[in-house]
Amino acid sequence: MSRLTEQEAGGGPGAAYLLGVAFAFGWTPCIGPTLAAIISMSWNLGDPARAGLLGLAYSLGLGIPFLILAAGWGWASRSVTFLRRHIRALNIIGGAMLIALGLLMVTGLWTALMSQLQQVVINVPLPL
């Protein structure tokens, strides 16, 4: 079994940087609103300690799964293997969900649904 060098494997610091940039571009739309809400809470409610605690909890929730995978825990590796094996079905299901969401947005049903959900969520006390 031959070992690949970093260059042959496509690795190295430059590749890691580019992967990080691509990852950041892909996740910005998902992360931005949550961080904006945390910062807004700190600013508007004058409670930076609570906002800091929420930010810490959010960061841990985002980072711990990656640390578990990096540590190479067996069950995490098996989960990734399962996802790789079923990637076609996952892509089809994800695509169908995106199409359904697009249809809901075009018809205006998404706005109505979010408005009703907001009435429910507004009455739920924050745990932190």
Side-chain angles (χ1 to χ4, degrees):
M1 179 177 204
S2 67
R3 299 194 80 171
L4 296 176
T5 65
E6 279 186 7
Q7 193 66 20
E8 292 170 331
Y17 174 77
L18 291 175
L19 179 62
V21 168
F23 192 75
F25 277 129
W27 275 38
T28 298
C30 301
I31 294 173
T34 304
L35 291 179
I38 291 171
I39 292 168
S40 175
M41 176 181 289
S42 171
W43 184 264
N44 292 332
L45 299 179
D47 194 355
R50 184 175 180 190
L53 186 60
L54 287 173
L56 176 66
Y58 179 73
S59 298
L60 289 174
L62 189 62
I64 288 175
F66 291 104
L67 294 174
I68 290 171
L69 279 175
W73 288 5
W75 61 268
S77 298
R78 286 189 298 276
S79 297
V80 172
T81 303
F82 173 83
L83 293 174
R84 283 184 186 168
R85 240 191 348 253
H86 296 91
I87 192 69
R88 177 83 173 136
L90 291 170
N91 284 337
I92 291 170
I93 292 167
M97 290 172 67
L98 285 173
I99 290 169
L101 179 61
L103 290 172
L104 288 172
M105 291 174 112
V106 167
T107 61
L109 291 172
W110 182 255
T111 303
L113 180 63
M114 289 299 108
S115 184
Q116 289 177 356
L117 185 61
Q118 186 178 18
Q119 296 305 316
V120 173
V121 171
I122 203 163
N123 295 322
V124 176
L126 293 175
L128 296 178

